[in-house]
Amino acid sequence: MTIRTSSEEETIQAGARLAGELRGIVLLKGDLGAGKTTLVRGIVAGIPGAQADEVSSPTFTLIHDYGAGVFHIDLYRLDTERQVESLGLDDIFDQAHLVLVEWGEKLGYLIPPKRTEITIEPEADSRRLIHISRFGE
Ligand code: ADP
Ligand code: MG
């Protein structure tokens, strides 16, 4: 599925609409400034009980717990698979309702077969293409 947006606000709205359909591990891909964190803000806003206030970018916090079983992980600053391993994400992956992972490709072998991938592709001006694919279902 592909969604088109023309502004930051539209991406937030798209995230909120998408929220109910997302669960498990969601990898967010796209270059710096593509809109991954913005989309996460919308998704979190669309989940009752999750608190979106703390969503910010960039941030030094690697793992955010927004409540309602919703986690947001940003691996941008991690360079090696060993660093990713040391986060001990297994518990979160096993128990969370929803885990949104920016730069999820850095998970390497920890990428679960069953997952959703969202790729954000910037186009001219403020337009974005948001591609959503499910794997392992
Ligand atoms: P990332 O997390 O992928 O690095 P951010 O979400 O932090 O990206 O930043 C996206 C930037 O692009 C913001 O400055 C936002 O205002 C801008 N922007 C412009 N158009 C859009 C759009 N359609 N959707 C999302 N962000 C947009
Ligand atoms: Mg980001």
Side-chain angles (χ1 to χ4, degrees), residues 1-3 27 116-121 129-133:
M1 177 171 75
T2 299
I3 299 170
L27 308 185
T116 301
E117 292 192 3
I118 300 180
T119 304
I120 306 181
E121 205 185 316
L129 288 178
I130 303 171
H131 305 282
I132 302 154
S133 318

Side-chain angles (χ1 to χ4, degrees), residues 2 5 11 15 17 19 29 31-32 41 60-61 64 69 77 80 88 91 96 104 109 112 114 117 127:
T2 299
T5 70
T11 295
R17 278 197 305 273
K29 299 182 172 183
D31 290 341
L32 209 59
R41 239 155 73 206
F60 288 113
T61 310
H64 299 267
R77 287 188 181 75
T80 67
D91 286 348
Y109 72 90
K114 189 173 175 182
E117 292 192 3
R127 283 179 294 162

Side-chain angles (χ1 to χ4, degrees), residues 6-137:
S6 310
S7 67
E8 175 173 1
E9 195 48 46
E10 276 186 31
T11 295
I12 291 172
Q13 286 166 5
R17 278 197 305 273
L18 212 54
E21 296 169 37
L22 297 175
R23 62 190 58 79
I25 314 298
V26 177
L27 308 185
L28 294 134
K29 299 182 172 183
D31 290 341
L32 209 59
K36 301 179 293 299
T37 303
T38 301
L39 185 67
V40 165
R41 239 155 73 206
I43 293 169
V44 174
I47 299 174
Q51 188 55 259
D53 299 357
E54 298 166 49
V55 183
S56 59
S57 171
T59 171
F60 288 113
T61 310
L62 289 176
I63 304 176
H64 299 267
D65 178 354
Y66 297 133
V70 179
F71 292 82
H72 173 203
I73 299 169
D74 190 346
L75 300 176
Y76 178 60
R77 287 188 181 75
L78 298 196
D79 298 321
T80 67
E81 212 159 68
R82 183 158 297 226
Q83 288 176 327
V84 175
E85 257 178 31
S86 72
L87 294 176
L89 297 175
D90 295 14
D91 286 348
I92 294 177
F93 282 11
D94 288 347
Q95 292 166 30
H97 164 67
L98 179 64
V99 187
L100 301 154
V101 191
E102 289 189 56
W103 301 96
E105 54 269 44
K106 293 192 184 191
L107 287 173
Y109 72 90
L110 291 173
I111 293 176
K114 189 173 175 182
R115 66 189 186 273
T116 301
E117 292 192 3
I118 300 180
T119 304
I120 306 181
E121 205 185 316
E123 292 194 301
D125 306 320
S126 290
R127 283 179 294 162
R128 300 288 191 273
L129 288 178
I130 303 171
H131 305 282
I132 302 154
S133 318
R134 291 184 211 277
F135 294 86
E137 304 236 301

